[in-house]
Amino acid sequence: MNDRLQQLAIFVRTVETGNFSKVAREFGLTQPSVSRTIAALEERLGVKLLTRTTRQLSMTDAGEALLSRAREALAGIEEAENAARGADRLSGTLRVALPTTYSVKQIVPLLPAFLERHPLLKIDLMMSDRYENLITEGADMALRLGNQPDSSFVTRKLATTRRLFVAGPAYLARRGTPKCLADLGQHHLIGGPGDGGDQTWTAQHDGVTEIQPVIPRVQTRSAIGVVACASAGLGIGIASTWMCASELASGALVEILADYRLEPMTAYVVFPAGRRPSRKARAFTDYLEQALVTG
């Protein structure tokens, strides 16, 4: 990357992260080198771009004007290079933010075939169960589960899967198998992500929506935690088929209340707002849309 382009790239990432140290790590530079690069850009343009204090970094009007154009220019160069190479010769690093368990169970097994198609491409899997700021973290895209992401983001629906009531055979042998949703009031329950304290579980039966108040005996903040606790015989939980397919196949878990229908789990791809998705992000999204099994 020549000096002028590197100056723009460093400026953009400095604004996005608000952190000179983080940018220095990304570019393999020292923090003083990042500061000098920004200063050199300001000197070359003859304007002040950033205002720095001990607590925060803010842009001047000139910085605001440069930011969007610089993003467009850098993205355009990458798109032009990839277009010249061809769709099957994507290069660079694709940074994907995604939930840990979902990525391990659903996405990682799909990567070998994708990377074989694009031998020049590298992938940075930014696995975390926290929803990161995509722009600050430098992600090209993110995978999200559950409700439709905030409308301010550019989103694309990938696939859906069933959610079901599950329990371990040993637990059911001790406590019996519930026949209807109301029976859950007499059972030990496992709360998962989004379930905190007193709550309700809702399901449809014969076209009628039923609501059951529940107080989990065991609470976990991860989907894989629900599967593990249910497999250990601690009670009844709700899990998607994405998360518990192997346990169902092995018999470690069994589905109960199978005639009830829970709201399905949906996977979305989310792109950072304010920029066009990169060519490599679009290619990966297209691949996942075909490869992910909806069930």
Side-chain angles (χ1 to χ4, degrees):
M1 182 179 293
N2 65 37
D3 289 345
R4 294 179 67 181
L5 290 179
Q6 176 146 314
Q7 285 177 349
L8 291 178
I10 288 175
F11 166 71
V12 169
R13 289 301 291 146
T14 300
V15 172
E16 291 177 341
T17 64
N19 188 312
F20 280 75
S21 297
K22 183 176 179 62
V23 175
R25 289 193 298 271
E26 288 184 7
F27 284 84
L29 302 171
T30 64
Q31 185 173 332
S33 294
V34 172
S35 297
R36 287 195 295 269
T37 298
I38 297 295
L41 177 61
E42 291 176 326
E43 182 177 357
R44 180 165 65 83
L45 297 178
V47 294
K48 191 73 172 173
L49 300 172
L50 300 176
T51 301
R52 283 151 279 191
T53 67
T54 55
R55 293 190 176 184
Q56 65 179 6
L57 189 69
S58 59
M59 282 187 293
T60 64
D61 290 343
E64 291 274 6
L66 177 64
L67 179 63
S68 61
R69 295 295 181 90
R71 280 175 172 163
E72 291 174 6
L74 294 168
I77 290 170
E78 182 182 39
E79 290 287 287
E81 290 177 345
N82 281 323
R85 294 186 184 101
D88 58 343
R89 290 184 60 80
L90 299 177
S91 67
T93 300
L94 173 65
R95 295 176 175 84
V96 186
L98 67 178
T100 303
T101 302
Y102 179 71
S103 64
V104 169
K105 286 185 170 284
Q106 290 294 119
I107 304 303
V108 171
L110 302 177
L111 292 181
F114 179 73
L115 291 177
E116 188 174 348
R117 293 184 188 180
H118 305 288
L120 301 180
L121 188 65
K122 296 182 290 185
I123 292 187
D124 180 0
L125 297 176
M126 304 162 63
M127 296 185 190
S128 173
D129 291 325
R130 296 183 299 114
Y131 278 13
E132 308 287 357
N133 182 306
L134 300 188
I135 292 178
T136 299
E137 295 301 316
D140 296 288
M141 58 185 287
L143 298 181
R144 299 288 188 242
L145 299 177
N147 297 327
Q148 173 78 29
D150 190 294
S151 59
S152 64
F153 292 102
V154 179
T155 64
R156 184 165 156 187
K157 183 177 177 180
L158 287 179
T160 60
T161 188
R162 280 201 315 133
R163 293 166 68 237
L164 50 153
F165 296 101
V166 294
Y171 172 83
L172 296 176
R174 292 195 316 270
R175 303 278 302 187
T177 301
K179 304 299 182 185
C180 64
L181 198 66
D183 288 348
L184 294 180
Q186 307 303 315
H187 281 268
H188 297 161
L189 305 178
I190 303 165
D195 298 335
D198 295 351
Q199 54 173 318
T200 60
W201 284 353
T202 303
Q204 283 200 339
H205 183 248
D206 291 336
V208 177
T209 299
E210 297 184 21
I211 300 174
Q212 174 61 35
V214 295
I215 302 176
R217 188 180 190 194
V218 178
Q219 183 73 45
T220 175
R221 296 184 181 181
S222 73
I224 197 62
V226 173
V227 173
C229 289
S231 300
L234 295 177
I236 296 169
I238 295 174
S240 71
T241 53
W242 282 333
M243 298 301 172
C244 66
S246 60
E247 288 79 7
L248 290 172
S250 69
L253 288 178
V254 296
E255 180 180 5
I256 60 173
L257 300 174
D259 52 346
Y260 282 80
R261 291 290 174 263
L262 291 155
E263 187 74 20
M265 177 67 71
T266 302
Y268 296 90
V269 62
V270 181
F271 301 108
R275 64 173 70 166
R276 186 169 185 263
S278 66
R279 188 183 184 93
K280 53 182 180 280
R282 298 197 304 273
F284 191 46
T285 300
D286 291 342
Y287 171 75
L288 291 180
E289 197 168 42
Q290 294 180 357
L292 282 174
V293 176
T294 295

